[in-house]
């Protein structure tokens, strides 16, 4: 989350984006959409139909997992006057991973073999050089001030890869000290910081906007504050950073990557991770511990559609929504555009910041990030103030 004080099978399909050499056969795209629809309908079986109110069904969802809802006391502070006068800024959350599938030909040379190597060695993150370059061009057009990444490939893992897994990927010829994938996408005008133990979950801030407190280098690999949730993966999936803003003041940023999966155990992990955001990160304070906070990322649940069937969606909505300490800036509800197939799982929330967001291909007037079959998430691009 960002606090501003101003003064990750076949079901995980890549997205076939229209046009260009990389366009997938329409039947493949349709198959992926049908599979995702089936998953979503299964999860929605007890959601009561078309109720778009994220709060509907909270009690049922909690009773399914016997989770006690903690009463959270949030001290809301008066928004500093400078917040109202500061110009808007652009924030992006982007899960740059893929589902592991690829077409047999075309697609800028990224085909079955490349998808295998990407899955085996690159964590299904973006590492194919043509895709990196096209995504770099997209970022140059968006020109964001603040970015959070999930599933961004860390080239420190290149060492020891077999030569066949390097050809055409960023690891081909990469040496220690070369640019990271984050820097390839955004450039050297940004500062970068990642979650402890998770160099695939990172944040970036443009130097015109601010700098990460406690980070004197261009990349602070484990600079974000974060703590492992026992039994829920190997390291911190929630990270907090404080941005010292140009012109004075601070902004607290939280990067979210909820555990994936459809089981009750997976949902229970996300509940604990979401409580790290809003209750206690692990250091006695919530992730959103500043006067003005911005939390962005991949929830791995749809808080609008799955509120009554997924305890983690319900838990997130305990803190975000009408009459709650935080509000959604991205769209939420049964009619919200899908950012992962039909599901709407990539979100931006804040306590005081306001604005609007768009997603490539599903928002009017906005085309795809690139004309290729790769990403299984759509980023959210938000103008905030």
């Amino acid at each position: 989350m960002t606090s501003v004080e101003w003064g990750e099978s076949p079901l995980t399909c890549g997205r076939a984006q229209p046009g260009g050499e990389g366009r997938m056969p329409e039947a493949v795209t349709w198959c992926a959409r049908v599979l995702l629809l089936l998953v979503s309908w299964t999860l929605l079986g007890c959601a009561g139909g078309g109720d778009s109110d994220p709060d509907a069904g909270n009690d049922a969802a909690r009773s399914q997992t016997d989770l006690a809802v903690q009463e959270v006391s949030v001290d809301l502070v008066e928004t500093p006057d400078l917040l109202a006068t500061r110009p808007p800024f652009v924030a992006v959350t982007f899960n740059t991973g893929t589902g592991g599938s690829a077409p047999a030909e075309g697609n800028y040379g990224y085909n079955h073999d490349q998808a295998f190597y990407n899955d085996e060695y690159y964590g299904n993150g973006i590492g194919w050089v043509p895709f990196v370059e096209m995504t770099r061009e997209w970022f140059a057009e968006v020109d964001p001030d603040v970015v959070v990444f999930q599933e961004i490939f860390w080239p420190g893992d290149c060492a020891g890869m077999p030569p066949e897994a390097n050809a055409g990927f960023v690891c081909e010829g990469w040496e220690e000290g070369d640019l990271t994938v984050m820097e390839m996408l955004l450039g050297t005008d940004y500062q970068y910081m990642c979650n402890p133990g998770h160099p695939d979950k990172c944040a970036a801030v443009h130097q015109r906007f601010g700098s990460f407190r406690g980070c004197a280098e261009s990349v602070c690999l484990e600079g974000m504050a974060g703590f492992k949730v026992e039994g829920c993966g190997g390291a911190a999936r929630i990270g907090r950073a404080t941005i010292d803003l140009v012109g004075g003041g601070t902004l607290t940023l939280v990067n979210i990557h909820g555990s994936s999966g459809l089981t009750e155990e997976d949902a229970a992990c996300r509940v604990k991770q979401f409580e790290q955001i809003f209750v206690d990160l692990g250091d006695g304070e919530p992730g959103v511990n500043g006067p003005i906070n911005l939390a962005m990322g991949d929830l791995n649940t749809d808080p609008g559609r799955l509120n009554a069937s997924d305890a983690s969606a319900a838990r997130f909505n305990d803190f975000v929504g009408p009459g709650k300490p935080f509000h959604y800036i991205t769209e939420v509800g049964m009619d919200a555009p899908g950012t992962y197939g039909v599901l709407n799982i990539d979100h931006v929330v804040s306590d005081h910041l306001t604005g609007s967001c768009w997603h490539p291909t599903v928002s009017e007037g906005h085309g795809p990030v690139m004309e290729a079959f790769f990403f299984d998430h759509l980023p959210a691009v938000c103008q905030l103030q």
Side-chain angles (χ1 to χ4, degrees), residues 1-325:
M1 194 156 219
T2 300
S3 164
V4 179
E5 177 183 310
W6 304 96
E8 156 183 11
S9 100
L11 276 180
T12 312
C13 301
R15 177 172 297 278
Q17 298 185 341
E21 181 186 354
R23 183 171 183 174
M24 284 293 288
E26 188 172 334
V28 175
T29 306
W30 174 246
C31 177
R33 291 182 180 273
V34 169
L35 287 170
L36 284 167
L37 275 167
L38 289 172
V39 171
S40 130
W41 287 338
T42 299
L43 291 171
L44 287 168
C46 58
D51 191 343
S52 61
D53 182 0
D55 286 329
N58 270 1
D59 292 339
R62 293 191 189 94
S63 64
Q64 290 172 4
T65 55
D66 196 27
L67 294 170
V69 176
Q70 295 175 253
E71 183 175 341
V72 180
S73 174
V74 179
D75 295 325
L76 295 179
V77 299
E78 183 177 355
T79 305
D81 292 339
L82 186 54
L83 178 62
T85 60
R86 190 178 184 92
F89 66 97
V90 177
V92 174
T93 177
F94 198 168
N95 182 320
T96 56
T98 185
S101 59
E105 59 185 15
N107 204 40
Y108 301 89
Y110 185 89
N111 306 127
H112 293 167
D113 287 347
Q114 289 71 34
F116 170 80
Y117 295 133
N118 198 51
D119 180 37
E120 188 76 10
Y121 298 104
Y122 293 83
N124 274 326
I126 184 170
W128 187 244
V129 171
F131 294 170
V132 171
E133 175 59 23
M134 286 185 284
T135 305
R136 183 200 64 77
E137 294 173 355
W138 180 82
F139 267 118
E141 294 179 1
V142 172
D143 194 23
D145 298 288
V146 179
V147 182
V148 294
F149 291 106
Q150 307 85 41
E151 300 185 37
I152 186 80
F153 175 66
W154 166 243
D157 292 336
C158 289
M161 286 190 186
E164 62 269 24
N166 290 339
F169 287 92
V170 294
C171 284
E172 187 172 26
W174 191 89
E175 296 180 354
E176 191 68 34
D178 289 349
L179 294 180
T180 65
V181 176
M182 300 180 294
E183 292 171 296
M184 296 176 194
L185 293 179
L186 291 173
T188 56
D189 290 335
Y190 289 78
Q191 190 180 33
Y192 303 87
M193 184 178 275
C194 302
N195 288 12
H198 261 310
D200 63 329
K201 308 181 198 315
C202 304
V205 58
H206 198 289
Q207 63 185 15
R208 70 181 171 228
F209 188 71
S211 60
F212 288 122
R213 178 175 295 179
C215 178
E217 308 296 330
S218 59
V219 179
C220 289
L221 192 58
E222 297 201 353
M224 299 188 81
F227 301 86
K228 172 184 176 180
V229 174
E230 291 299 327
C232 299
R237 299 184 70 95
I238 306 297
R240 177 215 293 142
T242 299
I243 299 174
D244 290 312
L245 299 167
V246 171
T250 64
L251 173 65
T252 301
L253 176 67
V254 172
N255 186 5
I256 309 169
H257 193 191
S259 291
S260 63
L262 307 178
T263 68
E264 289 187 3
E265 291 79 10
D266 298 325
C269 282
R270 290 191 294 271
V271 166
K272 294 174 184 177
Q273 290 153 2
F274 297 161
E275 289 175 349
Q276 286 186 313
I277 303 169
F278 301 108
V279 181
D280 185 350
L281 183 66
D283 57 4
E285 295 186 10
V288 288
N289 67 344
I292 301 175
N293 300 273
L294 177 63
M296 307 191 291
D298 172 8
L299 306 187
N300 262 315
T301 188
D302 187 330
R305 294 176 174 91
L306 304 182
N307 182 76
S309 59
D310 181 346
S312 67
R315 189 61 173 140
F316 197 83
N317 288 324
D318 283 336
F319 307 98
V320 187
K324 309 292 177 60

Side-chain angles (χ1 to χ4, degrees), residues 358-370:
W358 57 269
H359 308 281
T361 73
V362 297
S363 295
E364 186 176 356
H366 297 283
V369 174
M370 62 180 180

Side-chain angles (χ1 to χ4, degrees), residues 246 354 357:
V246 171
T354 60
C357 305

